[in-house]
């Protein structure tokens, strides 16, 4: 298949901030853009050439987007495989529906990783309470993200806490006592070529990403292992596009895979401004069949801090302290309703100030709140 020529239309299933940032990168490469979202004011629908309003899990709506596009990609992995197959029958779609089919259900994803021999914490299907290795974390098998649909149990005595989460099928995982959380963001082209970004180190709050720094503080050999794991996983899946592999670094410096996201990822936002080619442009290059771009950090280091709706409690935050940080850039997604926990934007800091900014992210957020 030839590379998608400039002037052709890249369609995006999903219109959130990830779709918006993909669309902006696609435009800069000379493509026209389309996106589908159920909300007419969704972040990506504000910036694409052809906005489509409709549900991404509605095959008819997805087909409309596909017919108006020359090639289709996605920003969200939970689109039903049946819908993706309808799209793929009409236009080239990357990543392929089969990749999403392996990832959408946490149990299927974990079984796939186990079969391939990738290291994970002990886990199982949570249909009965038998065999759980406490302390455990219960996770909904599908549609659980950003810590939603999860519940931690220290011991069997905590079981009543789980009744709400267990209303839908879940997996149990043994809780990991980790030293750090890291993620590897990589792109895999249609030809199998890969480009890997510097490993990111992540801090989560209430199951939601709070801050990222790159490069992660890792011994070289561990960094190499993390990269090798992610590249092998992408290859085993036959993925095309950007993908994130989240991992736990244990105290003995071994690694466990937590989860795979077959798309651009929040922990890769530091690449926008931080790296020669952002994860968003890289994703466009990969799916459109262009050569992958360079991934090195332009100023040696970068940090990213998420801006959640909580910050808007007293109205628009005071951005002046952010503007005063050398190398800082504010990104807002154009969302109107600021709800607690909702991702409204992020800021990045590149260069020397990145390290201190990562450490004082909590304090900085308090300052911005006014
Ligand atoms: P997830 O949605 O699976 O990425 O989980 C969100 C966050 O919850 C992770 O980034 C970790 O901070 C935490 N978490 C998830 N699974 C585990 C686990 N098995 N052990 C310890 N912490 C976990």
């Amino acid at each position: 298949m030839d590379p998608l020529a400039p002037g052709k239309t890249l369609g995006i299933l999903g219109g959130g901030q990830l779709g918006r940032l993909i669309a902006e990168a696609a435009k800069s490469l000379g493509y026209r853009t389309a996106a589908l979202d159920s909300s007419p004011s969704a972040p990506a629908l504000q910036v694409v050439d052809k906005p489509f309003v409709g549900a991404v899990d509605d095959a008819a709506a997805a087909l409309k987007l596909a017919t108006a596009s020359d090639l289709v990609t996605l920003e969200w992995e939970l689109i039903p495989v049946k819908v993706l197959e309808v799209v793929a029958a009409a236009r080239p779609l990357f990543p392929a529906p089969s990749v999403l089919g392996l990832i959408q259900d946490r149990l299927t994803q974990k079984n796939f990783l186990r079969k391939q021999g990738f290291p994970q914490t002990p886990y199982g299907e949570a249909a009965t309470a038998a065999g759980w290795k406490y302390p455990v974390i219960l996770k909904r098998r599908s549609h659980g993200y950003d810590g939603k649909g999860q519940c931690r149990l220290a011991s069997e005595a905590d079981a009543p806490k789980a009744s709400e989460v267990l209303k839908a099928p879940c997996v149990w995982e043994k809780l990991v006592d980790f030293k750090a959380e890291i993620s590897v963001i990589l792109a895999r082209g249609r030809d199998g070529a890969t480009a890997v970004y510097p490993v990111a180190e992540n801090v989560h709050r209430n199951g939601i990403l709070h801050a990222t720094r790159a490069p992660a503080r890792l011994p070289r050999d561990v960094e190499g292992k993390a990269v090798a794991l992610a590249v092998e996983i992408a290859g085993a899946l036959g993925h095309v596009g950007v993908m994130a592999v989240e991992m736990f670094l244990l105290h003995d410096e071994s690694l466990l895979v937590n989860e795979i996201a077959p798309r651009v990822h929040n922990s890769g936002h530091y690449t926008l401004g931080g790296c020669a080619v952002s994860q968003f442009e890289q994703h466009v290059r990969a799916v459109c069949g262009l050569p992958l771009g360079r991934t090195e950090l332009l100023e040696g280091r970068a940090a990213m801090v998420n801006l959640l709706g909580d910050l808007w409690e007293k109205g628009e935050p005071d951005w002046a302290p952010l503007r005063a940080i050398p190398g800082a850039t504010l990104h807002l997604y154009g969302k109107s309703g600021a709800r607690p926990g909702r991702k409204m934007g992020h800021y990045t800091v590149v260069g020397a100030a990145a390290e201190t900014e990562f450490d004082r992210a909590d304090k900085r957020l308090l300052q911005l709140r006014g």
Side-chain angles (χ1 to χ4, degrees):
M1 195 190 308
D2 288 336
L4 191 70
K8 298 278 186 189
T9 301
L10 176 66
I12 304 162
L13 291 161
Q17 62 269 19
L18 302 179
R20 176 180 173 118
L21 295 166
I22 292 170
E24 284 172 346
K27 284 184 163 201
S28 73
L29 293 176
Y31 294 119
R32 290 173 59 73
T33 52
L36 170 68
D37 196 280
S38 55
S39 164
S41 62
L45 266 51
Q46 298 170 29
V47 305
V48 292
D49 302 294
K50 305 179 206 175
F52 287 85
V53 179
V56 284
D57 54 7
D58 171 1
L63 187 58
K64 258 193 200 162
L65 171 93
T67 344
S69 308
D70 297 290
L71 189 138
V72 181
T73 189
L74 49 90
E75 60 129 36
W76 195 55
E77 65 272 32
L78 298 176
I79 303 162
V81 171
K82 277 191 180 148
V83 172
L84 296 173
E85 281 167 348
V86 168
V87 170
R91 292 289 183 273
L93 168 66
F94 297 106
S98 56
V99 176
L100 285 301
L102 282 170
I103 277 171
Q104 288 178 342
D105 177 334
R106 280 188 195 270
L107 187 62
T108 313
Q109 181 183 137
K110 288 179 164 295
N111 289 344
F112 165 78
L113 289 169
R114 175 154 69 189
K115 211 167 144 194
Q116 302 283 330
F118 296 111
Q120 297 177 87
T121 187
Y123 74 92
E125 193 178 356
T128 68
W132 300 6
K133 292 189 170 55
Y134 288 99
V136 297
I137 179 165
L138 296 174
K139 298 180 181 177
R140 290 251 167 107
R141 280 174 57 177
S142 66
H143 289 82
Y145 59 92
D146 282 347
K148 288 178 197 143
Q150 299 189 357
C151 172
R152 291 166 189 233
L153 311 178
S155 69
E156 225 173 315
D158 276 346
K161 283 202 325 199
S163 57
E164 186 58 38
V165 165
L166 283 172
K167 282 180 182 160
C170 286
V171 292
W172 66 266
E173 283 178 23
K174 186 172 173 20
L175 213 59
V176 178
D177 175 23
F178 53 78
K179 184 166 145 188
E181 290 192 76
I182 61 166
S183 56
V184 180
I185 310 290
L186 62 80
R188 189 168 179 277
R190 294 182 195 166
D191 58 356
T194 53
V196 188
Y197 286 97
V199 177
E201 182 178 334
N202 303 314
V203 174
H204 290 81
R205 295 261 187 277
N206 305 316
I208 304 178
L209 183 65
H210 166 58
T212 298
R213 56 170 284 160
R217 288 162 289 191
L218 291 177
R220 252 186 197 286
D221 59 324
V222 179
E223 186 189 329
K225 275 186 200 151
V227 168
L229 264 175
V231 170
E232 278 177 45
I233 291 172
L237 282 167
H239 182 66
V240 174
V242 164
M243 157 176 150
V245 182
E246 293 187 76
M247 302 179 198
F248 297 120
L249 173 70
L250 307 193
H251 295 279
D252 66 1
E253 299 204 321
S254 59
L255 295 165
L256 296 177
V257 176
N258 174 27
E259 65 176 355
I260 307 168
R263 53 165 168 78
V264 292
H265 193 255
N266 196 170
S267 68
H269 286 5
Y270 79 86
T271 63
L272 183 59
C275 295
V277 169
S278 77
Q279 63 164 348
F280 306 102
E281 179 178 334
Q282 199 76 278
H283 181 73
V284 175
R285 286 173 177 241
V287 300
C288 292
L290 304 176
L292 300 179
R294 293 173 63 168
T295 55
E296 75 271 16
L297 282 157
L298 291 171
E299 292 190 44
R301 61 187 67 164
M304 187 283 319
V305 181
N306 265 338
L307 301 169
L308 302 184
D310 314 56
L311 207 61
W312 274 252
E313 198 185 35
K314 298 182 198 156
E316 188 72 15
D318 172 13
W319 302 120
L322 257 192
R323 296 205 177 98
I325 309 169
T329 308
L330 173 66
H331 295 267
L332 294 172
Y333 307 144
K335 294 182 183 176
S336 38
R339 290 187 301 276
R342 188 172 194 211
K343 290 175 179 168
M344 302 295 290
H346 69 268
Y347 70 94
T348 52
V349 180
V350 300
E355 202 154 312
T356 37
E357 202 56 34
F358 176 80
D359 290 334
R360 67 172 165 223
D362 279 312
K363 273 195 200 143
R364 177 73 69 198
L365 293 177
L366 277 178
Q367 188 189 24
L368 299 180
R369 206 181 256 247

